[in-house]
Amino acid sequence: DTEVTQTPKHLVMGMTNKKSLKCEQHMGHRAMYWYKQKAKKPPELMFVYSYEKLSINESVPSRFSPECPNSSLLNLHLHALQPEDSALYLCASSQGGDEKLFFGSGTQLSVL
Amino acid sequence: AQTVTQSQPEMSVQEAETVTLSCTYDTSENNYYLFWYKQPPSRQMILVIRQEAYKQQNATENRFSVNFQKAAKSFSLKISDSQLGDTAMYFCAFMKPLYNNNDMRFGAGTRLTVKP
């Protein structure tokens, strides 16, 4: 299994809602990543987890809260988002520091 | 901090011809990796090719090859015998390996259209 699975594929939420994005991999990778991609822009790194511990936080607003409950699962909890947070959220995983990233197909988020 | 520059926002090529996409980067690191990722309309990020900075030999993957010039900090992608399925956004990426994970950053991208 060489897949990174993201759910849901699409999400529409209001500014007062609380929702979560889920990412799962079963490749035994110990590093997992969240990227945000606005339309016609490159992916921007948000968070990196290594061995279930937060390794990189790119000064992301606190309305985005990552969680890594185990080595296969990565969540992104969303609360009080703004319309400008509408984007494609990509999850990725890697075996180690010198290995390529495997990407999921993303969650397209719309904030109304 | 590392920066990645792709100076060609859009390019087009006729089917079966060859096209080269440009990428330059700036870093003070000695150990790093460079990648080209492809993102078709489905928005799935697909790895095209990878280059280790410590290797002088240019990476090749079937119709895809790179011209890696470390001193010039240049990393271009050549696509030979272009196919309609190559139509996509192409991102050049710089990766700095860390302990057990890495820091990967992307250029702005080049939108490639292959015309029949």
Side-chain angles (χ1 to χ4, degrees):
Chain A
D1 184 1
T2 58
E3 279 193 356
V4 176
T5 304
Q6 289 188 246
T7 55
K9 292 196 182 306
H10 301 274
L11 179 62
V12 179
M13 61 186 290
M15 290 189 284
T16 58
N17 291 158
K18 285 185 181 181
K19 297 285 184 183
S20 296
L21 309 185
K22 180 180 172 181
C23 174
E24 201 163 3
Q25 57 87 15
H26 296 287
M27 294 178 278
H29 291 173
R30 303 314 297 261
M32 296 186 77
Y33 310 75
W34 280 116
Y35 282 83
K36 174 182 178 179
Q37 186 179 21
K38 302 280 280 183
K40 299 185 180 182
K41 296 291 186 182
E44 295 178 352
L45 185 63
M46 300 175 72
F47 303 104
V48 180
Y49 273 83
S50 177
Y51 284 85
E52 298 152 50
K53 288 186 171 23
L54 187 62
S55 174
I56 297 176
N57 178 342
E58 285 292 301
S59 302
V60 179
S62 59
R63 57 186 184 269
F64 295 91
S65 176
E67 178 196 20
C68 190
N70 60 58
S71 60
S72 300
L73 190 57
L74 183 67
N75 297 320
L76 186 62
H77 303 298
L78 315 172
H79 174 54
L81 293 194
Q82 304 297 310
E84 59 264 29
D85 296 322
S86 298
L88 181 71
Y89 288 84
L90 291 164
C91 174
S93 69
S94 69
Q95 177 68 27
D98 59 351
E99 292 296 324
K100 67 183 181 184
L101 267 60
F102 288 78
F103 282 88
S105 55
T107 294
Q108 183 65 54
L109 174 67
S110 297
V111 182
L112 304 179
Chain B
Q2 286 71 231
T3 59
V4 181
T5 302
Q6 294 179 247
S7 58
Q8 306 151 313
E10 294 189 19
M11 293 192 72
S12 64
V13 62
Q14 290 297 130
E15 195 175 6
E17 294 190 347
T18 296
V19 64
T20 298
L21 309 183
S22 301
C23 174
T24 59
Y25 59 95
D26 187 26
T27 185
S28 57
E29 301 286 339
N30 200 37
N31 179 30
Y32 56 89
Y33 298 77
L34 296 163
F35 298 82
W36 280 96
Y37 275 88
K38 164 185 176 181
Q39 190 177 43
S42 67
R43 302 198 79 180
Q44 174 77 50
M45 293 288 282
I46 302 166
L47 177 67
V48 176
I49 201 163
R50 158 192 155 134
Q51 175 78 44
E52 294 90 342
Y54 59 85
K55 287 188 177 179
Q56 289 189 335
Q57 186 173 8
N58 290 325
T60 62
E61 285 287 342
N62 302 313
R63 299 183 293 108
F64 300 89
S65 61
V66 298
N67 183 2
F68 174 47
Q69 301 290 327
K70 189 172 183 179
K73 296 181 181 174
S74 169
F75 183 60
S76 61
L77 174 70
K78 184 170 86 171
I79 306 174
S80 304
D81 186 25
S82 297
Q83 300 176 357
L84 296 178
D86 295 333
T87 292
M89 194 76 166
Y90 286 80
F91 292 103
C92 177
F94 176 100
M95 187 184 86
K96 171 184 170 182
L98 306 171
Y99 181 67
N100 286 319
N101 60 74
N102 61 60
D103 185 346
M104 180 178 278
R105 310 288 173 145
F106 293 87
T110 296
R111 182 169 302 280
L112 176 67
T113 302
V114 179
K115 299 179 178 179

